[in-house]
Coordinates of all heavy atoms in Angstrom, one line a residue:
M1 N -12.5 -0.7 1.1 CA -11.2 0.0 1.2 C -11.3 1.4 0.6 O -11.7 1.6 -0.5 CB -10.2 -0.9 0.4 CG -8.9 -0.3 0.3 SD -7.8 -1.3 -0.7 CE -7.5 -0.2 -2.0
L2 N -11.0 2.3 1.4 CA -10.9 3.7 1.0 C -9.6 4.0 0.4 O -8.6 3.6 0.9 CB -11.3 4.7 2.1 CG -12.7 4.5 2.7 CD1 -12.9 5.4 3.9 CD2 -13.7 4.9 1.6
L3 N -9.6 4.9 -0.6 CA -8.3 5.3 -1.2 C -7.9 6.6 -0.7 O -8.6 7.6 -0.9 CB -8.5 5.3 -2.7 CG -7.2 5.6 -3.5 CD1 -6.2 4.4 -3.3 CD2 -7.6 5.7 -5.0
A4 N -6.8 6.6 0.1 CA -6.3 7.9 0.7 C -5.7 8.7 -0.4 O -5.3 8.2 -1.5 CB -5.3 7.6 1.7
R5 N -5.6 10.0 -0.2 CA -5.1 11.0 -1.1 C -3.7 10.6 -1.5 O -3.3 10.6 -2.7 CB -5.1 12.4 -0.6 CG -4.6 13.4 -1.5 CD -4.8 14.8 -0.9 NE -4.4 15.8 -1.9 CZ -3.2 16.4 -2.0 NH1 -2.2 15.9 -1.2 NH2 -2.9 17.3 -2.9
R6 N -2.9 10.2 -0.5 CA -1.5 9.8 -0.8 C -1.4 8.6 -1.7 O -0.6 8.5 -2.6 CB -0.8 9.5 0.6 CG 0.7 9.2 0.4 CD 1.4 9.0 1.7 NE 1.5 10.4 2.2 CZ 2.0 10.7 3.4 NH1 2.4 9.7 4.2 NH2 2.0 11.9 3.9
S7 N -2.3 7.6 -1.5 CA -2.3 6.5 -2.3 C -2.7 6.8 -3.8 O -2.2 6.3 -4.7 CB -3.3 5.4 -1.8 OG -2.9 5.0 -0.5
L8 N -3.7 7.7 -3.9 CA -4.1 8.1 -5.2 C -2.9 8.8 -6.0 O -2.6 8.5 -7.1 CB -5.3 9.1 -5.2 CG -5.6 9.8 -6.5 CD1 -6.1 8.8 -7.5 CD2 -6.6 10.9 -6.3
L9 N -2.2 9.7 -5.3 CA -1.1 10.3 -5.9 C 0.0 9.3 -6.3 O 0.6 9.4 -7.3 CB -0.5 11.4 -5.0 CG -1.5 12.6 -4.8 CD1 -0.9 13.6 -3.7 CD2 -1.8 13.3 -6.1
A10 N 0.3 8.4 -5.4 CA 1.3 7.4 -5.7 C 0.9 6.5 -6.8 O 1.7 6.2 -7.7 CB 1.6 6.5 -4.4
S11 N -0.4 6.1 -6.9 CA -0.8 5.3 -8.0 C -0.8 6.0 -9.3 O -0.5 5.4 -10.4 CB -2.2 4.6 -7.7 OG -3.1 5.6 -7.7
A12 N -1.0 7.3 -9.3 CA -1.0 8.1 -10.5 C 0.4 8.3 -11.0 O 0.6 8.6 -12.2 CB -1.8 9.4 -10.3
A13 N 1.3 8.2 -10.1 CA 2.7 8.6 -10.5 C 3.5 7.5 -11.3 O 4.5 7.7 -11.8 CB 3.5 8.9 -9.2
F14 N 2.8 6.3 -11.4 CA 3.5 5.2 -12.1 C 3.5 5.4 -13.6 O 4.2 4.6 -14.3 CB 2.8 3.9 -11.8 CG 1.6 3.6 -12.5 CD1 1.6 3.0 -13.8 CD2 0.4 4.1 -12.1 CE1 0.4 2.8 -14.5 CE2 -0.8 3.9 -12.8 CZ -0.7 3.3 -14.0
A15 N 2.8 6.3 -14.2 CA 2.5 6.4 -15.6 C 3.8 6.5 -16.4 O 4.8 7.0 -15.9 CB 1.6 7.5 -15.9
A16 N 3.7 6.2 -17.6 CA 4.9 6.3 -18.5 C 5.2 7.8 -18.7 O 4.4 8.7 -18.6 CB 4.5 5.7 -19.9
T17 N 6.5 8.0 -19.0 CA 6.9 9.4 -19.2 C 6.5 9.9 -20.5 O 6.2 9.1 -21.4 CB 8.4 9.5 -19.0 OG1 9.0 8.7 -20.0 CG2 8.9 9.1 -17.7
G18 N 6.5 11.2 -20.7 CA 6.2 11.7 -22.0 C 5.1 12.8 -21.9 O 4.6 13.1 -20.8
S19 N 4.9 13.5 -23.0 CA 4.0 14.7 -23.0 C 2.5 14.3 -22.8 O 1.7 15.1 -22.5 CB 4.1 15.4 -24.3 OG 3.8 14.6 -25.4
R20 N 2.2 13.0 -23.0 CA 0.8 12.6 -22.8 C 0.4 12.4 -21.3 O -0.7 12.2 -21.0 CB 0.6 11.3 -23.5 CG 0.9 11.3 -25.0 CD 0.1 12.3 -25.9 NE -1.3 12.2 -25.8 CZ -2.1 11.6 -26.6 NH1 -1.7 11.0 -27.6 NH2 -3.4 11.7 -26.4
T21 N 1.4 12.3 -20.5 CA 1.2 12.1 -19.0 C 0.6 13.4 -18.5 O 1.1 14.5 -18.7 CB 2.5 11.8 -18.3 OG1 3.1 10.6 -18.9 CG2 2.2 11.6 -16.8
P22 N -0.5 13.2 -17.7 CA -1.1 14.4 -17.1 C -0.2 15.1 -16.1 O 0.6 14.5 -15.4 CB -2.3 13.9 -16.3 CG -2.6 12.6 -17.0 CD -1.3 12.0 -17.5
L23 N -0.2 16.5 -16.2 CA 0.6 17.2 -15.2 C -0.1 17.3 -13.9 O 0.5 17.3 -12.8 CB 0.8 18.6 -15.8 CG 1.6 18.8 -17.1 CD1 1.5 20.3 -17.5 CD2 3.0 18.3 -16.9
H24 N -1.4 17.4 -13.9 CA -2.2 17.4 -12.7 C -3.5 16.6 -12.8 O -4.1 16.6 -13.9 CB -2.7 18.9 -12.4 CG -1.5 19.8 -12.2 ND1 -1.1 20.6 -13.3 CD2 -0.7 20.1 -11.2 CE1 -0.1 21.3 -12.9 NE2 0.1 21.0 -11.6
L25 N -3.9 15.9 -11.8 CA -5.2 15.2 -11.7 C -5.9 15.6 -10.4 O -5.3 15.4 -9.4 CB -5.0 13.7 -11.7 CG -4.5 13.0 -13.0 CD1 -4.2 11.5 -12.7 CD2 -5.5 13.2 -14.1
L26 N -7.1 16.2 -10.6 CA -7.8 16.6 -9.4 C -9.2 15.8 -9.4 O -10.1 16.2 -10.2 CB -8.1 18.1 -9.4 CG -6.9 19.0 -9.5 CD1 -7.2 20.4 -9.7 CD2 -6.1 18.9 -8.2
P27 N -9.3 14.8 -8.6 CA -10.5 14.0 -8.6 C -11.5 14.5 -7.5 O -11.1 15.0 -6.5 CB -9.9 12.6 -8.2 CG -8.8 12.9 -7.2 CD -8.2 14.2 -7.8
T28 N -12.7 14.2 -7.9 CA -13.9 14.5 -7.0 C -14.8 13.3 -7.1 O -15.1 12.9 -8.2 CB -14.7 15.8 -7.4 OG1 -13.8 16.9 -7.4 CG2 -15.8 16.0 -6.4
A29 N -15.2 12.7 -6.0 CA -16.0 11.5 -6.0 C -17.3 11.7 -5.3 O -17.4 12.4 -4.3 CB -15.3 10.3 -5.3
G30 N -18.4 11.1 -5.8 CA -19.7 11.1 -5.2 C -20.1 9.6 -5.2 O -19.4 8.7 -5.6
P31 N -21.4 9.3 -4.7 CA -21.8 8.0 -4.7 C -22.0 7.3 -6.1 O -21.8 6.1 -6.3 CB -23.2 8.0 -4.0 CG -23.3 9.4 -3.5 CD -22.3 10.3 -4.1
D32 N -22.4 8.2 -7.1 CA -22.7 7.6 -8.4 C -21.9 8.4 -9.5 O -22.3 8.3 -10.7 CB -24.1 7.6 -8.7 CG -24.8 9.0 -8.7 OD1 -24.1 9.9 -8.3 OD2 -26.0 9.1 -9.0
R33 N -20.9 9.1 -9.1 CA -20.2 10.0 -10.1 C -18.8 10.2 -9.7 O -18.4 10.3 -8.6 CB -21.0 11.3 -10.0 CG -20.4 12.5 -10.7 CD -21.3 13.7 -10.5 NE -21.4 14.5 -11.6 CZ -22.2 15.5 -11.8 NH1 -23.0 15.9 -10.8 NH2 -22.2 16.2 -12.9
L34 N -17.9 10.3 -10.7 CA -16.5 10.7 -10.6 C -16.3 11.9 -11.5 O -16.6 11.9 -12.7 CB -15.6 9.6 -10.9 CG -15.6 8.4 -10.0 CD1 -14.7 7.3 -10.6 CD2 -15.2 8.7 -8.6
R35 N -15.7 13.0 -11.0 CA -15.3 14.1 -11.8 C -13.8 14.3 -11.7 O -13.3 14.2 -10.6 CB -15.9 15.4 -11.4 CG -17.4 15.6 -11.9 CD -17.9 16.9 -11.7 NE -17.3 17.7 -12.8 CZ -17.5 19.0 -13.0 NH1 -18.1 19.7 -12.1 NH2 -17.0 19.6 -14.0
I36 N -13.1 14.5 -12.8 CA -11.7 14.6 -12.9 C -11.4 15.9 -13.6 O -11.9 16.1 -14.7 CB -11.0 13.4 -13.6 CG1 -11.4 12.1 -13.0 CG2 -9.5 13.6 -13.6 CD1 -10.8 11.8 -11.6
K37 N -10.5 16.7 -13.0 CA -9.9 17.8 -13.8 C -8.5 17.4 -14.1 O -7.8 16.9 -13.2 CB -9.9 19.1 -13.0 CG -11.3 19.7 -12.8 CD -11.3 21.0 -12.1 CE -12.7 21.6 -11.9 NZ -12.7 22.8 -11.3
A38 N -8.1 17.6 -15.3 CA -6.7 17.1 -15.7 C -6.1 18.2 -16.6 O -6.8 18.9 -17.4 CB -6.8 15.8 -16.5
S39 N -4.8 18.4 -16.4 CA -4.0 19.3 -17.3 C -2.9 18.5 -17.9 O -2.3 17.6 -17.3 CB -3.5 20.5 -16.6 OG -2.6 20.1 -15.5
F40 N -2.6 18.8 -19.2 CA -1.6 18.1 -20.0 C -0.5 19.1 -20.5 O -0.8 20.3 -20.6 CB -2.2 17.4 -21.2 CG -3.2 16.4 -20.8 CD1 -4.6 16.7 -20.6 CD2 -2.9 15.0 -20.5 CE1 -5.5 15.8 -20.3 CE2 -3.8 14.1 -20.1 CZ -5.1 14.5 -20.0
A41 N 0.7 18.6 -20.7 CA 1.8 19.5 -21.2 C 1.5 20.0 -22.6 O 1.9 21.1 -23.0 CB 3.1 18.7 -21.2
E42 N 0.9 19.1 -23.5 CA 0.6 19.5 -24.8 C -0.9 19.6 -25.1 O -1.7 18.9 -24.4 CB 1.3 18.5 -25.8 CG 2.8 18.6 -25.8 CD 3.4 17.7 -26.8 OE1 2.7 17.1 -27.6 OE2 4.6 17.6 -26.8
S43 N -1.3 20.3 -26.1 CA -2.7 20.4 -26.4 C -3.2 19.2 -27.1 O -2.4 18.4 -27.7 CB -3.0 21.6 -27.3 OG -2.3 21.5 -28.5
H44 N -4.5 19.0 -27.1 CA -5.1 17.8 -27.8 C -6.0 18.3 -28.9 O -6.8 19.2 -28.7 CB -6.0 17.0 -26.8 CG -5.2 16.3 -25.8 ND1 -4.9 14.9 -25.8 CD2 -4.5 16.7 -24.7 CE1 -4.2 14.6 -24.8 NE2 -3.9 15.6 -24.1
A45 N -5.8 17.8 -30.1 CA -6.6 18.2 -31.3 C -8.1 17.8 -31.0 O -9.0 18.6 -31.3 CB -6.1 17.5 -32.6
R46 N -8.3 16.6 -30.5 CA -9.6 16.2 -30.0 C -9.6 15.9 -28.6 O -8.6 15.4 -28.1 CB -10.1 14.9 -30.8 CG -10.2 15.2 -32.3 CD -10.6 14.0 -33.0 NE -12.1 14.0 -33.2 CZ -12.7 12.9 -33.7 NH1 -12.0 11.9 -34.1 NH2 -14.0 13.0 -33.8
P47 N -10.6 16.1 -27.8 CA -10.6 15.9 -26.4 C -10.3 14.4 -26.0 O -10.8 13.5 -26.7 CB -12.1 16.2 -25.9 CG -12.6 17.1 -27.0 CD -12.0 16.7 -28.3
P48 N -9.5 14.2 -25.0 CA -9.2 12.9 -24.6 C -10.5 12.3 -23.9 O -11.4 13.1 -23.6 CB -8.1 13.0 -23.6 CG -8.0 14.4 -23.3 CD -8.7 15.2 -24.3
V49 N -10.6 11.0 -23.8 CA -11.8 10.4 -23.2 C -11.3 9.7 -21.9 O -10.2 9.1 -21.9 CB -12.4 9.3 -24.2 CG1 -13.5 8.5 -23.6 CG2 -12.8 10.0 -25.4
L50 N -12.1 9.7 -20.8 CA -11.8 9.0 -19.6 C -12.7 7.8 -19.6 O -14.0 7.9 -19.8 CB -12.2 10.0 -18.4 CG -11.9 9.3 -17.0 CD1 -10.5 9.0 -16.8 CD2 -12.4 10.3 -16.0
R51 N -12.1 6.6 -19.3 CA -12.9 5.4 -19.3 C -12.8 4.8 -17.9 O -11.7 4.8 -17.3 CB -12.4 4.4 -20.3 CG -13.1 3.1 -20.2 CD -12.7 2.2 -21.4 NE -11.3 1.9 -21.4 CZ -10.7 1.3 -22.4 NH1 -11.5 0.9 -23.5 NH2 -9.4 1.0 -22.4
A52 N -14.0 4.3 -17.4 CA -14.0 3.6 -16.1 C -14.9 2.4 -16.4 O -16.1 2.5 -16.5 CB -14.7 4.5 -15.0
G53 N -14.3 1.2 -16.6 CA -15.1 0.1 -16.9 C -15.7 0.3 -18.3 O -15.0 0.6 -19.3
S54 N -17.0 0.1 -18.4 CA -17.7 0.3 -19.7 C -18.1 1.7 -19.9 O -18.6 2.1 -21.0 CB -18.9 -0.6 -19.8 OG -19.8 -0.3 -18.8
R55 N -18.0 2.6 -18.9 CA -18.4 4.0 -19.0 C -17.3 4.8 -19.6 O -16.2 4.7 -19.3 CB -18.8 4.5 -17.7 CG -20.0 3.8 -17.0 CD -21.2 4.6 -17.1 NE -22.2 3.9 -16.4 CZ -23.5 3.9 -16.8 NH1 -23.8 4.5 -17.9 NH2 -24.4 3.3 -16.1
K56 N -17.7 5.8 -20.4 CA -16.7 6.7 -21.0 C -17.3 8.1 -20.9 O -18.5 8.4 -21.0 CB -16.5 6.4 -22.5 CG -15.8 5.1 -22.7 CD -15.6 4.9 -24.2 CE -14.9 3.5 -24.4 NZ -14.7 3.3 -25.9
A57 N -16.4 9.1 -20.8 CA -16.7 10.5 -20.8 C -15.7 11.3 -21.6 O -14.5 11.3 -21.2 CB -16.8 11.1 -19.3
A58 N -16.2 12.0 -22.6 CA -15.2 12.9 -23.4 C -14.9 14.1 -22.5 O -15.7 14.6 -21.8 CB -15.9 13.3 -24.7
G59 N -13.7 14.5 -22.6 CA -13.2 15.7 -21.9 C -13.8 17.0 -22.5 O -14.1 17.1 -23.7
V60 N -14.1 17.9 -21.6 CA -14.5 19.3 -22.0 C -13.4 20.2 -21.8 O -12.9 20.4 -20.6 CB -15.8 19.7 -21.2 CG1 -16.2 21.1 -21.5 CG2 -16.9 18.7 -21.5
A61 N -12.9 20.9 -22.8 CA -11.8 21.8 -22.7 C -12.2 23.0 -21.8 O -13.3 23.5 -22.0 CB -11.3 22.2 -24.1
T62 N -11.3 23.3 -20.9 CA -11.5 24.5 -20.1 C -10.6 25.7 -20.4 O -10.6 26.7 -19.6 CB -11.4 24.1 -18.6 OG1 -10.1 23.6 -18.3 CG2 -12.5 23.1 -18.2
D63 N -9.8 25.6 -21.4 CA -8.9 26.6 -21.9 C -8.8 26.7 -23.4 O -9.1 25.7 -24.1 CB -7.6 26.5 -21.2 CG -6.7 25.4 -21.7 OD1 -7.3 24.3 -22.1 OD2 -5.5 25.5 -21.8
A64 N -8.4 27.8 -23.9 CA -8.3 27.9 -25.4 C -7.2 27.1 -26.0 O -7.3 26.6 -27.2 CB -8.1 29.4 -25.8
A65 N -6.2 26.8 -25.2 CA -5.1 26.0 -25.8 C -5.4 24.5 -25.7 O -4.6 23.7 -26.2 CB -3.8 26.2 -24.9
R66 N -6.5 24.1 -25.2 CA -6.9 22.7 -25.1 C -5.9 21.8 -24.4 O -5.6 20.7 -24.9 CB -7.2 22.2 -26.5 CG -8.3 23.0 -27.2 CD -8.6 22.5 -28.6 NE -9.1 21.2 -28.7 CZ -10.4 20.8 -28.4 NH1 -11.3 21.7 -28.1 NH2 -10.8 19.5 -28.5
R67 N -5.4 22.3 -23.3 CA -4.5 21.5 -22.4 C -5.2 21.1 -21.2 O -4.7 20.2 -20.4 CB -3.2 22.3 -22.2 CG -2.4 22.5 -23.4 CD -1.1 23.3 -23.1 NE -0.6 23.0 -21.7 CZ -0.1 24.0 -20.9 NH1 0.1 25.2 -21.4 NH2 0.3 23.7 -19.7
H68 N -6.3 21.8 -20.8 CA -6.9 21.5 -19.5 C -8.4 21.0 -19.8 O -9.1 21.6 -20.6 CB -7.0 22.8 -18.7 CG -5.6 23.4 -18.4 ND1 -4.8 22.9 -17.5 CD2 -5.0 24.4 -19.1 CE1 -3.6 23.6 -17.5 NE2 -3.7 24.5 -18.5
F69 N -8.7 19.9 -19.1 CA -10.0 19.3 -19.4 C -10.8 18.9 -18.1 O -10.1 18.6 -17.1 CB -9.9 18.1 -20.3 CG -9.4 18.3 -21.7 CD1 -8.0 18.4 -21.9 CD2 -10.3 18.6 -22.7 CE1 -7.5 18.7 -23.2 CE2 -9.8 18.8 -24.0 CZ -8.5 18.9 -24.2
T70 N -12.1 18.8 -18.2 CA -12.8 18.2 -17.1 C -13.5 17.0 -17.7 O -13.9 17.0 -18.9 CB -13.9 19.1 -16.5 OG1 -14.8 19.6 -17.5 CG2 -13.3 20.4 -15.9
F71 N -13.7 16.0 -16.9 CA -14.3 14.7 -17.2 C -15.4 14.4 -16.2 O -15.1 14.5 -15.0 CB -13.3 13.6 -17.3 CG -12.2 13.9 -18.2 CD1 -11.1 14.6 -17.8 CD2 -12.2 13.4 -19.6 CE1 -10.0 14.8 -18.7 CE2 -11.2 13.6 -20.4 CZ -10.1 14.4 -20.0
D72 N -16.6 14.0 -16.6 CA -17.7 13.7 -15.7 C -18.3 12.4 -16.0 O -19.0 12.2 -17.0 CB -18.7 14.9 -15.8 CG -19.8 14.9 -14.7 OD1 -19.6 14.0 -13.8 OD2 -20.7 15.7 -14.8
L73 N -17.9 11.4 -15.2 CA -18.5 10.1 -15.3 C -19.7 9.9 -14.4 O -19.6 10.1 -13.2 CB -17.4 9.0 -15.0 CG -16.3 8.8 -16.0 CD1 -15.2 8.1 -15.3 CD2 -16.8 8.0 -17.2
T74 N -20.8 9.6 -15.0 CA -22.1 9.5 -14.2 C -22.6 8.1 -14.3 O -22.2 7.3 -15.1 CB -23.1 10.5 -14.6 OG1 -23.4 10.3 -16.0 CG2 -22.6 11.9 -14.4
G75 N -23.6 7.8 -13.5 CA -24.3 6.5 -13.5 C -23.5 5.3 -13.0 O -23.6 4.2 -13.3
L76 N -22.5 5.7 -12.0 CA -21.6 4.6 -11.5 C -22.3 4.0 -10.2 O -23.2 4.6 -9.7 CB -20.3 5.3 -11.1 CG -19.5 5.9 -12.3 CD1 -18.3 6.6 -11.8 CD2 -19.2 4.9 -13.4
T77 N -21.7 2.9 -9.8 CA -22.3 2.2 -8.6 C -21.6 2.7 -7.4 O -20.3 2.9 -7.3 CB -22.0 0.7 -8.8 OG1 -22.5 0.2 -10.0 CG2 -22.5 -0.1 -7.6
P78 N -22.4 3.0 -6.3 CA -21.8 3.5 -5.1 C -20.8 2.5 -4.5 O -20.9 1.3 -4.6 CB -23.0 3.7 -4.2 CG -24.1 3.9 -5.1 CD -23.8 3.0 -6.2
A79 N -19.8 3.0 -3.7 CA -18.8 2.2 -3.0 C -18.1 1.2 -3.9 O -17.8 0.1 -3.5 CB -19.4 1.6 -1.8
T80 N -17.8 1.6 -5.1 CA -17.1 0.7 -6.1 C -15.8 1.3 -6.5 O -15.8 2.5 -6.8 CB -18.0 0.4 -7.2 OG1 -19.3 -0.1 -6.8 CG2 -17.4 -0.5 -8.3
C81 N -14.8 0.5 -6.6 CA -13.5 0.9 -7.1 C -13.4 0.7 -8.6 O -13.7 -0.4 -9.1 CB -12.3 0.1 -6.4 SG -10.7 0.8 -6.8
Y82 N -13.1 1.8 -9.3 CA -13.0 1.7 -10.8 C -11.5 2.0 -11.2 O -10.8 2.7 -10.5 CB -13.9 2.8 -11.4 CG -15.3 2.6 -11.3 CD1 -16.1 3.0 -10.2 CD2 -16.0 1.8 -12.2 CE1 -17.4 2.8 -10.1 CE2 -17.4 1.6 -12.1 CZ -18.1 2.0 -11.1 OH -19.4 1.8 -11.0
D83 N -11.1 1.3 -12.2 CA -9.8 1.5 -12.8 C -10.1 2.5 -13.9 O -10.8 2.2 -14.9 CB -9.2 0.2 -13.4 CG -8.7 -0.7 -12.3 OD1 -8.3 -0.2 -11.3 OD2 -8.7 -1.9 -12.5
L84 N -9.5 3.7 -13.8 CA -9.6 4.8 -14.8 C -8.5 4.8 -15.7 O -7.3 4.5 -15.3 CB -9.8 6.1 -14.0 CG -10.8 6.2 -12.9 CD1 -10.7 7.6 -12.3 CD2 -12.2 6.0 -13.5
E85 N -8.7 5.2 -16.9 CA -7.6 5.4 -17.9 C -8.1 6.5 -18.9 O -9.3 6.6 -19.2 CB -7.2 4.2 -18.5 CG -8.2 3.4 -19.4 CD -7.6 2.1 -19.9 OE1 -6.4 1.9 -19.9 OE2 -8.4 1.3 -20.3
F86 N -7.1 7.2 -19.4 CA -7.4 8.2 -20.5 C -7.1 7.5 -21.8 O -6.2 6.8 -22.1 CB -6.4 9.4 -20.4 CG -6.8 10.3 -19.3 CD1 -5.9 10.6 -18.3 CD2 -8.0 11.0 -19.3 CE1 -6.2 11.4 -17.2 CE2 -8.4 11.9 -18.3 CZ -7.5 12.1 -17.3
L87 N -8.1 7.8 -22.8 CA -8.0 7.3 -24.1 C -7.7 8.5 -25.1 O -8.3 9.6 -24.9 CB -9.3 6.6 -24.6 CG -9.8 5.5 -23.6 CD1 -11.1 5.0 -24.1 CD2 -8.8 4.4 -23.5
D88 N -7.0 8.2 -26.1 CA -6.8 9.3 -27.1 C -8.1 9.5 -27.9 O -8.8 8.6 -28.2 CB -5.7 8.8 -28.1 CG -5.4 9.8 -29.2 OD1 -6.1 9.9 -30.2 OD2 -4.4 10.6 -28.9
G89 N -8.4 10.8 -28.0 CA -9.7 11.2 -28.7 C -9.7 10.9 -30.2 O -10.8 10.8 -30.8
V90 N -8.6 10.6 -30.8 CA -8.5 10.3 -32.2 C -8.4 8.8 -32.4 O -9.3 8.2 -33.2 CB -7.3 11.0 -32.9 CG1 -7.2 10.6 -34.4 CG2 -7.4 12.5 -32.8
T91 N -7.5 8.1 -31.8 CA -7.3 6.7 -32.0 C -8.1 5.8 -31.1 O -8.3 4.6 -31.4 CB -5.8 6.3 -31.8 OG1 -5.4 6.5 -30.4 CG2 -4.9 7.2 -32.7
G92 N -8.5 6.3 -29.9 CA -9.2 5.5 -29.0 C -8.3 4.6 -28.1 O -8.8 3.8 -27.3
R93 N -7.0 4.7 -28.3 CA -6.1 3.9 -27.6 C -5.7 4.6 -26.2 O -5.6 5.8 -26.1 CB -4.8 3.7 -28.4 CG -5.0 2.7 -29.4 CD -3.7 2.3 -30.1 NE -3.6 3.2 -31.2 CZ -2.5 3.2 -32.0 NH1 -1.5 2.5 -31.8 NH2 -2.5 4.0 -33.1
A94 N -5.5 3.7 -25.2 CA -5.2 4.2 -23.9 C -3.8 4.9 -23.9 O -2.9 4.3 -24.6 CB -5.2 3.1 -22.9
F95 N -3.6 6.0 -23.3 CA -2.3 6.6 -23.2 C -1.9 6.9 -21.8 O -0.8 7.3 -21.5 CB -2.2 7.9 -24.1 CG -3.1 9.1 -23.6 CD1 -2.6 10.0 -22.7 CD2 -4.3 9.3 -24.1 CE1 -3.4 11.0 -22.2 CE2 -5.1 10.4 -23.8 CZ -4.6 11.2 -22.8
Y96 N -2.8 6.7 -20.8 CA -2.4 6.9 -19.4 C -3.3 6.1 -18.5 O -4.5 6.1 -18.7 CB -2.5 8.4 -19.0 CG -2.2 8.6 -17.6 CD1 -0.8 8.8 -17.2 CD2 -3.1 8.7 -16.6 CE1 -0.5 9.0 -15.8 CE2 -2.8 9.0 -15.2 CZ -1.5 9.1 -14.9 OH -1.1 9.3 -13.6
G97 N -2.7 5.3 -17.6 CA -3.5 4.5 -16.7 C -3.3 3.1 -16.9 O -2.5 2.7 -17.8
P98 N -4.0 2.2 -16.2 CA -5.1 2.6 -15.3 C -4.6 2.9 -13.9 O -3.5 2.6 -13.5 CB -5.9 1.3 -15.3 CG -4.9 0.2 -15.5 CD -3.9 0.8 -16.4
W99 N -5.5 3.7 -13.2 CA -5.3 4.0 -11.8 C -6.6 3.8 -11.1 O -7.7 4.1 -11.7 CB -4.6 5.4 -11.6 CG -5.6 6.5 -11.7 CD1 -6.2 7.2 -10.7 CD2 -5.9 7.2 -12.9 NE1 -7.0 8.2 -11.2 CE2 -6.8 8.2 -12.6 CE3 -5.6 7.0 -14.3 CZ2 -7.4 9.1 -13.5 CZ3 -6.2 7.9 -15.2 CH2 -7.0 8.9 -14.8
P100 N -6.6 3.5 -9.8 CA -7.9 3.2 -9.1 C -8.5 4.5 -8.5 O -7.8 5.4 -8.0 CB -7.5 2.3 -8.0 CG -6.1 2.6 -7.7 CD -5.5 3.1 -9.0
L101 N -9.8 4.5 -8.5 CA -10.6 5.6 -7.8 C -11.9 5.0 -7.4 O -12.6 4.3 -8.2 CB -10.8 6.8 -8.6 CG -11.3 8.1 -7.9 CD1 -10.3 8.5 -6.7 CD2 -11.5 9.2 -8.8
R102 N -12.3 5.2 -6.2 CA -13.6 4.6 -5.6 C -14.7 5.7 -5.5 O -14.4 6.8 -5.1 CB -13.3 4.0 -4.2 CG -14.5 3.4 -3.5 CD -14.1 2.8 -2.2 NE -13.2 1.7 -2.3 CZ -13.6 0.4 -2.6 NH1 -14.9 0.2 -2.7 NH2 -12.7 -0.5 -2.7
T103 N -15.9 5.3 -5.8 CA -17.0 6.1 -5.6 C -17.4 6.1 -4.1 O -17.0 5.1 -3.4 CB -18.3 5.7 -6.4 OG1 -18.5 4.3 -6.2 CG2 -18.1 6.0 -7.9
L104 N -18.0 7.0 -3.6 CA -18.4 7.1 -2.2 C -19.7 6.2 -1.9 O -20.5 6.0 -2.8 CB -18.7 8.5 -1.7 CG -17.5 9.5 -1.8 CD1 -18.0 10.9 -1.5 CD2 -16.4 9.0 -1.0
P105 N -19.8 5.7 -0.7 CA -21.1 5.0 -0.3 C -22.2 6.0 -0.3 O -22.0 7.2 -0.2 CB -20.8 4.4 1.0 CG -19.7 5.2 1.6 CD -18.9 5.8 0.5
H106 N -23.4 5.4 -0.4 CA -24.7 6.3 -0.2 C -24.8 6.8 1.2 O -24.4 6.3 2.1 CB -25.9 5.5 -0.5 CG -26.4 5.6 -1.9 ND1 -26.7 6.8 -2.5 CD2 -26.5 4.7 -2.9 CE1 -27.1 6.6 -3.7 NE2 -27.0 5.4 -4.0

């Protein structure tokens, strides 16, 4: 099952309200990798973490205000749907998600 752009946006829209909800999510998928660019309304003292199953990737800030981050999950299985969620960089607790995203086939 392929996830259409419209389905991705609809599934991402269910999140709880509040400043922790991402303003934008820009996903890129490959056979063994998922990259996400995310922007948030408020800055983060420590980078949030993106989790897909047992894999985690700490965000890399792309602005001085620490509101925009990139996440790079590697070593994933091709043609597999992952439930993604953001974790707080301080507490480790989930604050957004899960939402589905599939890696591409080889």
Side-chain angles (χ1 to χ4, degrees):
M1 173 180 117
L2 294 175
L3 186 63
R5 183 175 185 268
R6 182 173 291 176
S7 296
L8 171 66
L9 295 174
S11 65
F14 79 90
T17 60
S19 61
R20 305 298 309 259
T21 302
L23 298 174
H24 303 97
L25 290 174
L26 301 172
T28 304
D32 60 353
R33 171 185 219 172
L34 295 173
R35 279 195 82 183
I36 307 285
K37 290 184 178 183
S39 61
F40 299 91
E42 293 185 3
S43 64
H44 290 258
R46 295 179 94 184
V49 175
L50 179 65
R51 178 171 58 192
S54 63
R55 300 254 185 219
K56 294 180 182 178
V60 176
T62 59
D63 69 328
R66 302 179 61 83
R67 291 182 31 216
H68 305 278
F69 294 87
T70 60
F71 303 86
D72 193 5
L73 287 164
T74 59
L76 302 176
T77 304
T80 302
C81 188
Y82 289 92
D83 285 330
L84 305 178
E85 62 184 343
F86 285 119
L87 308 177
D88 184 274
V90 176
T91 66
R93 284 189 266 177
F95 67 85
Y96 180 81
W99 78 94
L101 191 60
R102 179 180 294 275
T103 53
L104 298 176
H106 264 301

